[in-house]
Amino acid sequence: MRILKLGGSVVTEKDKPFTPNTPNIERLAREVAASLPAPMVIVHGGGSYGHPVAKHYKISEGYKTPSQLIGFSKTHQAMVQLNKMIVDAMLDVGVPAFGLSPSSFIVTESRRITELDASNIKRYLGAGLIPVLYGDAVLDTQQGFSILSGDQIVMRLAASLKASRIVFGSDVDGVYTADPKLVKEARLIPRLSLKELDGMVKIGEALNTDVTGGMLGKVREAAEAVAAGVEVILVNAGVAGRVEAALCGEKVMGTVLTR
Ligand code: ADP
């Protein structure tokens, strides 16, 4: 059982609202096709679809005014739209993908998942389908509603489905000593242990940078799965072949998280 996370930075043009990265989506669909038939779940991010809408209506801050309800639904709709394109691309290359809305089976409390009913996902997997989920607008028992990241979904699903490997596909080669887009001297870290990871998150928190989102957010979410023995690898999904190699368990450029 494998879980593939496709970052919003990969499946969309992050700086152009409502713009898919169609070449990436089509290529990644082929890479997924080449890695079959082992069972897998795909989770994708929001990129330029969910994020601008969620931000405009302040969905992640929770319910404050009735006018946000339209925004809550619009955020979800934006994600449904992106999900449709990704699922369609998978179907075109023979991947039996099936889009499922996280908001229909996940509830959060203060933005953390408290309810996740994986029974239906297991049935879809049992039928031979490949569920394709996404970061979504979800109901939250404490603040009314919230935005749930694909990264958090991946981690909770990994536990529920007893995944053996998680592949994070993002727009950088893996975890670096600093944000490679901001720091020219940043170096790629090929292997990162839980202890080193903890140190990095603390540094991030101290500098007040990139604590909840970005790469450190991912890595922090991943810690629990790594501790439970799941293989976690972060690769550049923008480079042809890396996601396929990582899915197949081949050696590939990226960052492997280790206990
Ligand atoms: P995605 O949309 O793929 O889920 P995010 O944009 O949330 O990805 O996170 C990936 C981004 O995190 C990278 O594009 C990079 O700019 C940033 N980042 C910040 N710190 C680091 C780091 N130490 N190593 C790698 N990337 C980092």
Side-chain angles (χ1 to χ4, degrees), residues 13-207:
E13 302 274 355
K14 235 175 170 175
D15 304 327
K16 296 184 203 149
F18 288 88
T19 310
N21 187 325
T22 309
N24 271 356
I25 292 175
E26 291 178 354
R27 175 180 51 77
L28 288 162
R30 289 194 298 275
E31 294 193 29
V32 167
S35 80
L36 295 181
M40 71 187 287
V41 173
I42 298 170
V43 181
H44 63 82
S48 65
Y49 278 76
H51 289 302
V53 190
K55 197 172 164 201
H56 178 79
Y57 288 95
K58 300 188 167 69
I59 302 304
S60 69
E61 291 172 25
Y63 179 87
K64 291 185 179 113
T65 76
S67 62
Q68 281 176 299
L69 292 174
I70 297 292
F72 177 68
S73 189
K74 275 190 178 172
T75 303
H76 169 73
Q77 290 297 88
M79 291 309 299
V80 169
Q81 206 183 326
L82 177 60
N83 182 253
K84 180 181 187 308
M85 285 186 276
I86 292 172
V87 172
D88 283 345
M90 300 272 171
L91 297 177
D92 283 346
V93 294
V95 175
F98 194 92
L100 291 174
S101 295
S103 47
S104 65
F105 63 92
I106 298 178
V107 176
T108 58
E109 181 181 332
S110 304
R111 299 181 199 166
R112 301 301 300 175
I113 296 174
T114 46
E115 290 172 37
L116 184 155
D117 180 358
S119 52
N120 246 352
I121 294 193
K122 287 179 186 162
R123 286 189 195 99
Y124 281 95
L125 284 166
L129 288 153
I130 298 187
V132 185
L133 322 181
Y134 43 88
D136 201 359
V138 298
L139 294 178
D140 186 292
T141 52
Q142 191 266 335
Q143 57 176 49
F145 48 58
S146 188
I147 295 299
L148 173 61
S149 74
D151 295 336
Q152 200 187 138
I153 296 175
V154 165
M155 289 313 141
R156 282 296 301 261
L157 268 188
S160 304
L161 302 176
K162 300 189 171 52
S164 54
R165 183 179 310 138
I166 301 171
V167 176
F168 278 99
S170 190
D171 66 343
V172 290
D173 287 347
V175 183
Y176 283 73
T177 48
D179 187 338
K181 287 185 184 153
L182 304 176
V183 182
K184 211 173 79 217
E185 303 78 35
R187 281 177 297 108
L188 180 68
I189 307 170
R191 295 178 74 81
L192 188 61
S193 72
L194 280 178
K195 205 171 145 213
E196 291 163 332
L197 192 156
D198 197 43
M200 275 189 84
V201 171
K202 286 214 177 84
I203 292 169
E205 276 166 352
L207 297 173

